Amino acid sequence: MADQRAYSRQPNQADFQQYVAANAMALRTQVAPGRIGVFDFGAGPQHVGLFTGAGLIHAYAPARKVIEHGWRAPWPGHLSHIYAFPQHLG
């Protein structure tokens, strides 16, 4: 997998699409553990999280850390896309 460490807090759709292509990620329609959720809060897709059996893991700026919480409002309403890495395509 290609890792991207140099990115800004501002969304960059071109960079994201390059990452998706470089990692052979596939677009999916259902939330499932191991899949990646892309979220749009009004400025285009700008936030990602990893779905787990219990909910969602993501970097949460107000807490200044990575957290896991249940799959509840407001997150489902902001879900833009769901991707799967090649090893989770089933």
Side-chain angles (χ1 to χ4, degrees):
M1 301 265 158
D3 191 13
Q4 174 66 303
R5 294 175 187 244
Y7 59 89
S8 73
R9 292 188 63 173
Q10 300 304 315
N12 184 322
Q13 189 64 27
D15 284 350
F16 181 74
Q17 290 304 325
Q18 287 175 346
Y19 183 84
V20 167
N23 289 287
M25 295 172 69
L27 192 59
R28 293 292 181 245
T29 59
Q30 299 294 318
V31 169
R35 291 188 177 168
I36 305 296
V38 179
F39 299 89
D40 183 339
F41 289 92
Q46 61 191 19
H47 191 71
V48 298
L50 176 67
F51 291 108
T52 69
L56 182 69
I57 296 173
H58 65 105
Y60 188 58
R64 299 184 52 86
K65 59 184 172 182
V66 174
I67 64 169
E68 180 178 14
H69 58 73
W71 181 233
R72 61 181 184 278
W75 297 96
H78 294 285
L79 183 61
S80 172
H81 297 85
I82 301 167
Y83 287 95
F85 285 107
Q87 62 270 35
H88 293 122
L89 289 180

